[in-house]
Amino acid sequence: MVSGVLADPALQAMVERLHAQSRAQEAETGAWFSERAKRGDLSWDGLDEKSHRYMADKLVALEPAKAEFCHLLCRALRATRVVEIGTSFGVSTLYLADAVRANGGGLVIGTEHEPANAAAARASFAEAGLSEFVDLREGDLRETLKVIEGPVDFVLMDIWTEMARPAIELVAPHLRTGAVVVADNTAQVRHAYRAFFEFVEDPANHLRGLTLPFDGGLEFVVRV
């Protein structure tokens, strides 16, 4: 059950329903990856084609507490320009777009590789009345994020580990001073985020970060 940071009861009910659908898949998905790990044919440094095919239709929603945290961060930052890297079915996007709307308007730039996921996400945005606050770009993020208009206030990264470094490289030049980047699961598979952390820890990039103790770890990075 989500605790309810969203002011709109209909939107709150909608995200609760989507979170429930995501949770219903967790046991099956966890067992699938565990079995592959036992066989020794799974690497978190980069998922193979078999893994990508398996996950293509999975909801994989950001956990409710993390999504609420991101919503409140956007409200605190008065964010009007947000980038979401890894939209999936758009559950976390609903939180971000609602925050942008509450801040007086703006845009969430999302990117999603799977066409079916993008279609489902757009349907959710329309149902929630949030479509005008979302620019969902379909395709490889190394192409879809080549153009980011305006200074960025907040970034949510919830993607496969091999794409974390390309993503941060593309978005970093657009971060305003004080902007926040949140990356999911950085403690759970920290070794697979090596290239991402190398970029964050390079003084030339003007970023500072620490790992927050959410389940799986949540990296909190600030543009300084």
Side-chain angles (χ1 to χ4, degrees):
M1 174 68 69
V2 270
S3 59
V5 301
L6 303 173
D8 180 354
L11 179 58
Q12 185 67 44
M14 181 180 177
V15 297
E16 288 180 5
R17 184 184 78 240
L18 292 169
H19 281 302
Q21 292 176 16
S22 181
R23 284 193 298 271
Q25 298 174 342
E26 289 176 0
E28 176 194 340
T29 301
W32 191 87
F33 279 104
S34 294
E35 182 58 33
R36 288 205 63 195
K38 289 177 183 177
R39 295 198 305 265
D41 65 349
L42 180 67
S43 171
W44 291 111
D45 284 328
L47 295 188
D48 57 15
E49 184 59 28
K50 184 187 297 184
S51 295
H52 281 293
R53 285 199 308 271
Y54 177 77
M55 294 300 295
D57 63 347
K58 303 301 185 293
L59 200 57
V60 201
L62 189 71
E63 292 93 326
K66 294 177 181 179
E68 291 190 322
F69 178 67
C70 290
H71 180 278
L72 293 176
L73 275 176
C74 286
R75 294 303 315 277
L77 290 165
R78 302 298 300 167
T80 59
R81 179 73 57 171
V82 172
V83 176
E84 181 185 48
I85 302 167
T87 294
S88 186
F89 281 68
V91 182
S92 51
T93 324
L94 294 170
Y95 287 87
L96 300 175
D98 180 73
V100 165
R101 177 173 61 181
N103 287 341
L107 196 65
V108 178
I109 299 170
T111 183
E112 173 55 38
H113 189 267
E114 296 292 338
N117 291 3
R122 290 190 180 99
S124 290
F125 306 154
E127 180 184 344
L130 290 168
S131 296
E132 67 181 285
F133 302 102
V134 183
D135 172 15
L136 180 55
R137 302 174 182 181
E138 188 178 320
D140 189 316
L141 68 84
R142 290 166 292 192
E143 297 297 325
T144 60
L145 295 181
K146 279 185 174 179
V147 177
I148 300 175
E149 304 86 352
V152 172
D153 303 302
F154 180 82
V155 179
L156 172 60
M157 297 178 57
D158 188 11
I159 50 170
W160 302 120
T161 55
E162 69 266 30
M163 300 303 290
R165 176 64 181 257
I168 192 67
E169 287 181 348
L170 285 166
V171 75
H174 305 282
L175 297 173
R176 68 164 173 84
T177 300
V180 171
V181 178
V182 168
D184 193 24
N185 288 326
T186 53
Q188 186 176 26
V189 286
R190 193 174 185 87
H191 65 282
Y193 280 93
R194 294 185 301 273
F196 170 80
F197 282 116
E198 287 170 3
F199 185 91
V200 170
E201 293 166 3
D202 185 341
N205 295 320
H206 305 287
L207 300 170
R208 299 289 184 275
L210 75 162
T211 305
L212 303 180
F214 283 92
D215 182 30
L218 204 66
E219 202 66 24
F220 184 92
V221 179
V222 179
R223 173 70 161 80
V224 296

